[in-house]
Amino acid sequence: MNGKEVFRFAVRCVPQSIEKALEEAGLPASSIDWLLLHQANQRIIDAAANRLSIPSEKVISNLANYGNTSAASIPLALDEAVRGGKVKTGDIIAASGFGAGLTWGSAIVKWG
């Protein structure tokens, strides 16, 4: 794996994908309560949040606790955030995953 290329790819494509999903949902970026990304690398998470102008206190990350749990990273981090009381009914979550040959996808979810 070429780490630099994966980083550049993720930092470029993930924010674009989230912006497109927000547009399709008819929501501004300011409506995001939580940013939930594939937990591959904290630098990627931080850079994507920065590109989207989302402050770190609105980013769900458990990477430091578990490392990259592959396809399970988004559901595990979401479950932990819900059980921990962070995510509440009505919150808007912008989620995005990437990997597996540099594919990606995003979703905007209203929790509850």
Side-chain angles (χ1 to χ4, degrees):
M1 177 176 12
N2 184 337
K4 282 185 179 183
E5 279 306 309
V6 171
F7 178 85
R8 279 185 264 220
F9 163 82
V11 171
R12 182 183 74 249
C13 290
V14 167
Q16 289 173 348
S17 181
I18 289 172
E19 288 167 346
K20 185 171 193 249
L22 283 165
E23 183 181 321
E24 290 181 18
L27 295 171
S30 61
S31 68
I32 296 173
D33 295 304
W34 298 105
L35 179 64
L36 175 57
L37 304 180
H38 169 53
Q39 307 287 296
N41 175 301
Q42 192 63 48
R43 287 182 53 238
I44 292 172
I45 294 168
D46 294 343
N50 186 49
R51 287 209 177 187
L52 291 163
S53 299
I54 296 174
S56 61
E57 59 269 8
K58 288 187 167 195
V59 176
I60 296 171
S61 178
N62 65 4
L63 186 62
N65 298 333
Y66 307 111
N68 181 350
T69 56
S70 190
S73 71
I74 290 175
L76 285 171
L78 178 59
D79 179 69
E80 192 171 82
V82 170
R83 289 177 191 249
K86 278 185 168 181
V87 175
K88 308 232 185 308
T89 300
D91 282 356
I92 303 295
I93 303 165
S96 187
F98 59 92
L102 300 183
T103 58
W104 66 95
S106 295
I108 308 301
V109 177
K110 184 173 184 178
W111 190 255

